[in-house]
Amino acid sequence: MRTLYFSPNSRSDTVVALVRMLSADIEMREVTIVRQDGSEGKVPYLTDGEDTVRERGAIMLYLTDAYPDAGLGPLPGQAERGAYLSWMFYYQGIIEPLLILKWADISHPAITAGLRDFDTMIERLAEPLRRGPWLLGERFSAADMLCTSPFFWFADMMPADPAIRDWVERCGKRMSASAK
Ligand SMILES: N[C@@H](CCC(=O)N[C@@H](CS)C(=O)NCC(=O)O)C(=O)O
């Protein structure tokens, strides 16, 4: 039995939405993440028997592989699998760190050398969106859900580029349509 630990109005929201869209039979356990005792309490967190999964990108990838019927992520051997993995890891390794650094107004040549910068990251996202509606072209996937997620929370981070703005709006509509 799989269990997802989540807390409302947190990063786990995207995973909760994905579980719904996958029609996945997962026990949902709401937890409090503000802890006074110094213990680790990050969400989202997924358990699957003895195995555990942390980090949104990893959890979403694990779930789209585990519930393939919903078609929300290419499986090994399918077209665009490499691009799918790349966007999930690009989110965790580049997009979210750059958003936090921008919010904190921190810059350093070593950061730019490793991660590039916010504008380069936005351009990277916009490239496929000028050719098709989703990061994987015509195919909507959990990568769109993950990579648009910060723009729903931090409206002031939303770039002016219409390719990004339209994509975020499209993705929001797609997710809310599945909630009905
Ligand atoms: N890199 C992790 C970040 C998870 C994370 O920081 N979640 C926040 C909620 S938005 C949390 O659990 N905070 C509580 C804490 O840091 O103790 C992921 O993407 O899953």
Side-chain angles (χ1 to χ4, degrees):
M1 180 65 186
R2 298 185 174 110
T3 303
L4 178 73
Y5 295 81
F6 74 99
S7 190
N9 303 318
S10 78
R11 284 176 175 85
S12 56
D13 287 359
T14 323
V15 183
V16 171
L18 180 65
V19 168
R20 188 187 66 235
M21 292 169 81
L22 293 169
S23 303
D25 179 20
I26 292 180
E27 181 196 358
M28 305 298 281
R29 199 171 291 179
E30 185 174 332
V31 294
T32 302
I33 53 177
V34 181
R35 293 196 175 164
Q36 305 298 323
D37 62 0
S39 63
E40 180 80 0
K42 283 206 180 276
V43 293
Y45 181 67
L46 180 77
T47 61
D48 186 358
E50 295 298 306
D51 206 359
T52 61
V53 196
R54 288 176 288 107
E55 301 298 329
R56 261 191 315 167
I59 295 172
M60 293 174 80
L61 181 55
Y62 192 91
L63 293 178
T64 56
D65 281 0
Y67 300 91
D69 291 351
L72 290 175
L75 300 173
Q78 290 184 348
E80 304 286 2
R81 172 72 175 181
Y84 180 55
L85 295 186
S86 301
W87 285 117
M88 300 304 262
F89 282 75
Y90 188 70
Y91 178 83
Q92 296 286 167
I94 306 290
I95 297 179
E96 188 163 315
L98 282 175
L99 287 164
I100 293 170
L101 290 164
K102 185 177 171 64
W103 179 80
D105 198 19
I106 293 172
S107 61
H108 188 281
I111 294 172
T112 313
L115 306 181
R116 303 293 186 258
D117 58 25
F118 182 83
D119 291 344
T120 306
M121 175 270 283
I122 293 299
E123 179 52 29
R124 186 86 189 272
L125 282 171
E127 270 170 25
L129 300 170
R130 293 193 191 105
R131 294 192 301 270
W134 309 111
L135 292 173
L136 303 185
E138 295 303 317
R139 180 171 186 174
F140 173 76
S141 74
D144 296 293
M145 297 171 68
L146 183 61
C147 295
T148 54
S149 61
F151 302 115
F152 292 111
W153 285 97
F154 302 104
D156 49 341
M157 293 280 184
M158 177 75 94
D161 190 327
I164 302 280
R165 300 180 87 93
D166 293 353
W167 168 59
V168 173
E169 192 184 334
R170 242 183 342 267
C171 196
K173 281 187 185 153
R174 178 80 181 236
M175 287 190 288
S176 47
S178 78
K180 287 169 190 154

